[in-house]
């Protein structure tokens, strides 16, 4: 007994559906990046791309490899904890090509004040001055040497 | 060159294959870095912060952050006596140039540096409709610029206001915890330059990291703990008025 006399429209519908499924699978494979879903619902390769960016700050270890004289001076003073690039700015380019890329000379009136200008919001133990009263218009580095800021008395120098 | 039907049929699959390689991206840059060996966070010590803004400047320089936008910034709080719920907060230009003007008199004043908290249950990741924001296996919340639509959902979702829309690329912008540095064994730009050690990068999976000792021996807070975001930026010495 033949229940369905006319089946052609069903076959056509099935064919359309099969083509649609195949098209979906092909398009999805082509358009979704290979690394999508590697670690989660995102493109795994994005992690590597973010990590591949170049650095701007070389890091104090890099500076210290060449500037050993400054390291020795800094060791004697309180600024030993301050990284080179905190004041001198990003120097990765200088580290790569020390000959042609030179760091700019710093303006101590700006650089010192950022940290040491007196402010009641700063921790009370941190050394602070009101620049206008303290220096009398003199540049900070006319008395304090930035790498070793303490001003030595004569006896201390003799030691 | 005339585009004939035949030529177009050859070119289209070729373009599709090329596009696939574009999407595949570059391989990982640090071969010795293992994603599963780390779990990054940061320690911010309010008792040491002097509000010099060196971190803000370093961040902008390291990450090409446009002027007027901040991936990290420093706030100055002014809290009068018992008005703990109404602090006066200022952050001129994100504190980028330090605080040379004196704080308001009376009460107490202190600095609070802020940045992305790299939340474990980060709201920004959860709302991203396309998977452009994600948390890496080593616990850093990143943005995939090539996937971001610029819909700004994440900016609304972040309870800490740590996200912005890059005016040039029109994609979401945020602190990447200097992912390009920490995967190379360096610390973040902000932690590198912080002159007082108020900011310290922490690897919570590294048993030798001094963070563990510090967390055990100090009273630590995170921002907005009631949001249950799983923030990994830990604050020491933070006043209850900090929002």
């Amino acid at each position: 007994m033949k229940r369905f006399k006319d089946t052609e429209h069903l076959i056509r519908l099935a064919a359309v559906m099969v083509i649609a499924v195949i098209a979906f699978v092909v398009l999805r494979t082509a358009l979704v990046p290979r690394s999508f879903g590697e670690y989660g619902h995102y493109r795994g390769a994005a992690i590597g791309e973010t990590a591949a960016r170049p650095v701007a700050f070389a890091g104090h270890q890099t500076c210290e490899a060449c500037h050993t004289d400054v390291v020795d001076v800094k060791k004697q003073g309180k600024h030993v904890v301050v990284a080179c690039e905190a004041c001198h700015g990003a120097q990765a380019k200088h580290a790569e090509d020390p000959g042609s890329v030179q760091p700019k000379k710093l303006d101590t009136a700006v650089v010192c004040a950022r940290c040491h200008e007196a402010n009641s919001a700063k921790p009370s133990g941190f050394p602070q001055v009101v620049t206008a009263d303290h220096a009398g218009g003199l540049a900070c580095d006319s008395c304090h040497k930035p790498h070793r800021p303490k001003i030595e008395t004569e006896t201390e120098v003799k030691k | 060159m005339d585009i004939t039907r035949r030529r177009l049929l050859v070119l289209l699959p070729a373009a599709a294959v090329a596009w696939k390689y574009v999407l595949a991206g570059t391989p990982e840059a640090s071969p010795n870095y293992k994603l599963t060996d780390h779990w990054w966070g940061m320690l911010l010590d309010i008792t040491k912060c002097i509000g010099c803004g060196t971190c803000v400047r370093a961040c902008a320089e390291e990450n090409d952050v446009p002027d007027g936008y901040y991936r990290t910034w420093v706030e100055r709080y002014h809290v009068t006596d018992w008005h703990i719920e109404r602090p006066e907060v200022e952050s001129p230009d994100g504190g980028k140039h330090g605080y040379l003007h004196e704080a308001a008199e009376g009460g107490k004043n202190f600095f609070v540096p802020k940045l992305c908290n790299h939340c474990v249950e980060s709201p920004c990741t959860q709302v991203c409709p396309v998977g452009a924001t994600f948390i890496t296996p080593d616990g850093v919340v990143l943005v995939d610029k090539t996937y971001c639509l610029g819909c700004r959902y994440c900016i609304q979702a972040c309870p800490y206001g740590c996200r912005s829309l890059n005016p040039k690329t029109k994609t979401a912008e945020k602190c990447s915890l200097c992912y390009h540095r920490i995967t190379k064994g360096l610390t973040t730009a902000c932690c590198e330059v912080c002159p007082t050690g108020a900011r310290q990068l922490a690897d919570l999976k590294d048993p030798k990291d001094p963070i563990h000792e510090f967390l055990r021996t100090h009273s630590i807070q995170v921002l907005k703990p009631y949001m249950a975001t799983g923030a990994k930026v830990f604050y020491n010495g933070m006043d209850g008025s900090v929002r």
Side-chain angles (χ1 to χ4, degrees):
Chain A
M1 192 188 97
K2 208 172 180 190
R3 180 170 275 183
F4 301 108
K5 283 178 198 160
D6 192 4
T7 51
E8 202 192 324
H9 66 287
L10 291 176
I11 293 165
R12 280 189 190 179
L13 192 64
V16 168
M17 296 221 7
V18 167
I19 290 169
V21 168
I22 291 171
F24 173 77
V25 170
V26 169
L27 273 174
R28 196 179 184 283
T29 338
L31 292 177
V32 174
R34 223 174 298 167
S35 65
F36 199 93
E38 197 181 340
Y39 304 107
H41 187 73
Y42 61 92
R43 201 168 58 91
I47 297 181
E49 282 165 30
T50 312
R53 288 195 44 231
V55 299
F57 284 78
H60 62 279
Q61 301 92 339
T62 310
C63 310
E64 286 161 4
C66 298
H67 298 279
T68 45
D69 51 330
V70 182
V71 176
D72 292 339
V73 177
K74 270 179 75 181
K75 260 185 210 161
Q76 303 163 11
K78 278 194 171 179
H79 278 175
V80 65
V81 292
V82 183
C84 314
E85 287 162 312
C87 302
H88 293 283
Q91 298 299 344
K93 280 180 186 157
H94 165 68
E96 272 168 31
D97 187 3
S100 53
V101 185
Q102 291 289 334
K104 277 182 204 153
K105 184 104 176 74
L106 297 175
D107 180 6
T108 51
V110 177
V111 177
C112 303
R114 274 179 193 147
C115 291
H116 293 289
E117 188 68 57
N119 197 308
S120 59
K122 287 180 185 175
S124 53
F126 185 79
Q128 304 164 49
V129 293
V130 178
T131 325
D133 304 340
H134 177 79
L138 276 174
C140 309
D141 62 347
S142 47
C143 300
H144 303 275
K145 297 298 160 223
H147 289 146
R148 188 193 176 192
K150 195 180 180 204
I151 302 170
E152 293 97 352
T153 57
E154 254 181 56
T155 46
E156 275 173 331
V157 172
K158 270 177 198 166
K159 273 181 199 170
Chain B
M1 185 176 88
D2 288 338
I3 296 277
T4 59
R5 189 181 301 179
R6 180 186 292 258
R7 221 168 243 160
L8 185 72
L9 284 173
V10 173
L11 277 176
L12 277 180
V17 170
W19 180 236
K20 199 173 174 182
Y21 276 94
V22 169
L23 289 182
T26 45
E28 198 155 331
S30 316
N32 296 325
Y33 182 81
K34 251 189 161 176
L35 284 170
T36 46
D37 284 356
H38 306 273
W39 192 244
W40 296 107
M42 199 181 276
L43 177 69
L44 291 181
D45 197 340
I46 305 266
T47 62
K48 286 185 179 173
C49 182
I50 55 169
C52 61
T54 310
C55 49
V56 186
R57 292 192 302 279
C59 176
E61 200 166 353
E62 181 72 46
N63 300 297
D64 297 325
V65 183
D67 275 347
Y69 292 77
Y70 311 94
R71 289 188 180 189
T72 184
W73 67 98
V74 182
E75 294 172 355
R76 181 163 69 182
Y77 271 70
H78 172 68
V79 191
T80 50
D81 288 346
W82 53 272
H83 274 113
I84 193 169
E85 300 220 316
R86 284 183 207 154
E88 287 166 28
V89 187
E90 60 172 333
S91 187
D93 202 7
K96 203 175 194 173
H97 311 291
Y99 286 81
L100 297 175
H101 58 294
E102 188 49 91
E105 275 178 35
K108 56 183 166 186
N109 304 305
F110 52 90
F111 297 110
V112 183
K114 287 190 176 171
L115 74 157
C116 168
N117 288 269
H118 294 279
C119 310
V120 182
E121 310 289 343
S122 73
C124 59
T125 305
Q126 290 168 41
V127 298
C128 181
V130 293
T133 277
F134 52 91
I135 181 158
T136 61
D138 45 355
V140 180
V141 179
L142 294 178
V143 179
D144 182 352
K145 263 193 247 168
T146 58
Y147 247 52
C148 179
L149 299 169
C151 72
R152 301 166 171 86
Y153 278 14
C154 55
I155 299 173
Q156 290 188 44
C158 177
Y160 305 108
C162 292
R163 283 176 165 262
S164 56
L165 198 79
N166 188 302
K168 283 179 217 145
T169 60
K170 305 284 179 200
T171 54
E173 179 86 28
K174 72 178 287 299
C175 159
S176 64
L177 206 68
C178 280
Y179 200 69
H180 59 298
R181 297 177 61 87
I182 60 176
T183 50
K184 293 182 181 98
L186 295 162
T187 185
T188 65
C190 57
C191 294
E192 167 69 26
V193 300
C194 180
T196 59
R199 303 174 79 115
Q200 277 166 38
L201 180 72
D203 185 353
L204 299 159
K205 261 193 190 174
D206 179 4
K208 286 179 197 154
D209 196 304
I211 179 80
H212 302 293
E213 174 73 15
F214 196 94
L215 294 181
R216 267 199 306 273
T217 51
H218 291 75
S219 299
I220 302 291
Q221 285 193 60
V222 293
L223 290 173
K224 302 189 182 179
Y226 47 86
M227 303 287 290
T229 55
K232 288 200 268 75
V233 171
F234 304 103
Y235 285 85
N236 177 47
M238 186 162 76
D239 192 79
S241 60
V242 176
R243 297 285 168 265

